Amino acid sequence: MTDIMLTPYDTADYLDSPERIAAYLETVLAEDDPALAAHAFEAVARARGLTSGEVQAGAPHLAAVMDLLHRFGLRMSVAPLGAS
């Protein structure tokens, strides 16, 4: 029997540029799930050296904005600063 070595996976380890972060958040926001979006923002916060507490404080607001946009028939979009 072969031993399988597993290593921990953290999405934050792969969010090393504004373009990757934007692509990740675009994918997550397309799911229209505030809880998933909050989790994604926590991963981005870890990648950028912020605390999860800083993100958790905004989670209720994020859910409210996502709900309003949904009611308007819209969804949120993300792009790196300076992108056209």
Side-chain angles (χ1 to χ4, degrees):
M1 183 172 182
T2 303
D3 289 337
I4 297 174
M5 186 71 137
L6 301 176
T7 57
Y9 175 84
D10 187 355
T11 302
D13 294 338
Y14 301 92
L15 301 175
D16 56 4
S17 71
E19 293 77 18
R20 284 186 178 194
I21 291 169
Y24 173 61
L25 290 177
E26 274 290 298
T27 301
V28 169
L29 290 172
E31 295 296 319
D32 200 29
D33 180 345
L36 181 61
H39 179 76
F41 275 90
E42 286 182 18
V44 172
R46 284 194 313 280
R48 301 304 265 183
L50 301 173
T51 67
S52 64
E54 291 174 276
V55 175
Q56 288 176 354
H61 302 291
L62 176 62
V65 168
M66 290 178 72
D67 181 56
L68 280 174
L69 289 173
H70 189 285
R71 291 173 186 223
F72 298 155
L74 303 169
R75 75 173 182 91
M76 197 177 307
S77 181
V78 178
L81 289 175
S84 53

